[in-house]
Amino acid sequence: MAALEEAKKKRAAERGWLKRAAKELDDLCAQPTDQVATVELEFALANFESRLVKLDSAQESIELLLELDKIETEVTEAADYREHICRSKIQALLVLNKLKNAAVDQSNGDSTSTTGGSSVKLPKLELPKFSGKVIDWQPFWDQFKAVVDNSELPTVNKFSYLQALLEGDAKTCIQGLAPTAKHYDIACNLLKERYGRPEKIIFAHIQGLLSLASPSTKGRAPLSMLWKMQDELLSHIRSLETLGISGEKYGLFLTPVILSRLPQEIRMEWAREGEGKESDLGFLLEFLKKNLNNRPRVGPMCLGGFNH
């Protein structure tokens, strides 16, 4: 018991020092960015990280002394505290990134691209967030890998960016991993295993195709809804193609599914033009695109022309 109390006292002290380091970051981030020196913010971040490592060490000492049935509660409380205190670090990293981008903009003439004598300002790239939806994993990871994972940022900073971009189930997937350099690869591998396996992504896209919402099968269908259905359809198909699954492999069963979602008049037109093309997904997609392009827009985006 004496050893446990001593370990808790040490953790309390380390939390106090870490809280001071977090306040220093918050104070710097509260200043206008043109008044914050990059080196000052980097120094404050390094101090925060040093204190965070010491807190992790103190926390591990406590966990080793606890009874087995009390460890889970202790880990949960410690993880919640870490998540709260690390918000200061994440905000500081974002400010630091903004400062460095501003410096690059200035050295590159405000990040302008000259084409034909005209100067065009390039937009800033904002990384998407990932909540655990399997079909969103590959686009998310491709961008994160290009901007963060392949960068020269310290590994621990990469982990902080990763945590900041995760939501929902994806965030829960790596919860409990201390944001240290040695845990970054573990976190990435956990996410890839859960969301990045090709068979899971293919299955999710097939499910998406089979559950496409039907705009209407009779009467007048909003043209905007038909375009939305086509966009979703093409998104799934293109994603499957990048995974090596061509329309030839599933066109025979997908064609009737798509047709069942369409208004009766369009299905009747396809019956006249698509005889012998029942398994040709490419023909159906081209037919649908041509049909929608030829439809007159009546009123607020409605599909007219059903009763010629």
Side-chain angles (χ1 to χ4, degrees):
M1 288 296 294
L4 181 58
E5 289 302 316
E6 188 67 24
K8 286 185 176 181
K9 285 175 61 177
K10 180 173 177 56
R11 181 182 65 179
E14 295 301 345
R15 283 187 173 182
W17 281 109
L18 185 61
K19 187 176 180 180
R20 290 172 64 90
K23 186 178 184 304
E24 183 181 8
L25 291 177
D26 292 339
D27 290 344
L28 287 171
C29 291
Q31 298 179 29
T33 52
D34 58 353
Q35 296 179 19
V36 181
T38 300
V39 65
E40 186 178 10
L41 190 54
E42 287 179 332
F43 182 82
L45 277 165
N47 179 49
F48 180 94
E49 188 60 36
S50 174
R51 288 297 173 185
L52 189 60
V53 170
K54 290 182 179 180
L55 176 61
D56 285 340
S57 177
Q59 179 64 35
E60 288 176 6
S61 297
I62 290 175
E63 292 166 7
L64 290 173
L65 294 170
L66 285 174
E67 296 293 334
L68 189 61
D69 60 345
K70 295 181 180 179
I71 290 179
E72 183 175 354
T73 300
E74 177 65 33
V75 168
T76 299
E77 188 273 337
D80 289 342
Y81 179 84
R82 256 184 144 280
E83 182 177 351
H84 173 76
I85 202 73
C86 281
R87 290 173 186 171
S88 299
K89 174 184 173 181
I90 292 170
Q91 180 61 32
L93 287 169
L94 293 173
V95 172
L96 181 61
N97 190 50
K98 186 183 296 184
L99 289 172
K100 290 184 175 181
N101 283 339
V104 172
D105 287 347
Q106 186 173 4
S107 64
N108 291 340
D110 292 327
S111 293
T112 54
S113 173
T114 304
T115 305
S118 63
S119 184
V120 180
K121 189 171 180 63
L122 299 175
K124 290 288 189 298
L125 176 64
E126 292 188 7
L127 291 174
K129 293 201 171 187
F130 180 66
S131 63
K133 193 175 180 181
V134 173
I135 61 175
D136 293 337
W137 166 257
Q138 202 59 51
F140 164 78
W141 180 251
D142 287 344
Q143 292 188 56
F144 180 84
K145 184 176 181 180
V147 177
V148 178
D149 189 60
N150 289 341
S151 73
E152 296 181 359
L153 281 170
T155 304
V156 68
N157 291 358
K158 294 180 183 180
F159 199 171
S160 294
Y161 274 114
L162 180 63
Q163 287 183 314
L165 293 171
L166 297 179
E167 298 175 331
D169 291 340
K171 185 175 182 179
T172 304
C173 177
I174 64 169
Q175 191 171 2
L177 283 178
T180 59
K182 67 179 182 179
H183 286 154
Y184 175 67
D185 286 340
I186 296 175
C188 291
N189 289 333
L190 283 173
L191 291 168
K192 290 175 185 176
E193 175 63 25
R194 177 168 295 188
Y195 304 109
R197 288 190 287 124
E199 61 270 23
K200 289 192 71 170
I201 299 175
I202 291 170
F203 183 73
H205 282 295
I206 294 295
Q207 280 189 314
L209 287 169
L210 295 177
S211 60
L212 283 172
S214 175
S216 177
T217 55
K218 57 183 178 181
R220 287 175 176 246
L223 184 58
S224 60
M225 291 182 67
L226 287 166
W227 277 113
K228 181 181 178 182
M229 187 193 79
Q230 182 188 243
D231 290 341
E232 291 178 1
L233 177 65
L234 290 175
S235 176
H236 288 302
I237 290 173
R238 289 166 184 157
S239 296
L240 286 170
E241 287 177 347
T242 64
L243 293 166
I245 309 297
S246 65
E248 296 176 357
K249 297 181 179 180
Y250 56 87
L252 184 60
F253 76 83
L254 183 61
T255 297
V257 173
I258 297 173
L259 288 172
S260 69
R261 304 293 197 271
L262 298 174
Q264 184 178 0
E265 292 290 336
I266 297 182
R267 282 186 279 136
M268 291 175 63
E269 291 182 27
W270 185 88
R272 290 193 294 268
E273 298 183 27
E275 186 174 357
K277 303 283 188 178
E278 289 79 4
S279 63
D280 191 339
L281 184 60
F283 176 84
L284 176 59
L285 294 176
E286 188 60 33
F287 162 81
L288 183 58
K289 177 181 177 181
K290 182 173 66 175
N291 191 288
L292 294 182
N293 282 329
N294 291 338
R295 294 282 171 177
R297 296 190 178 188
V298 181
M301 295 293 287
C302 284
L303 178 61
F306 280 168
N307 299 307
H308 296 306

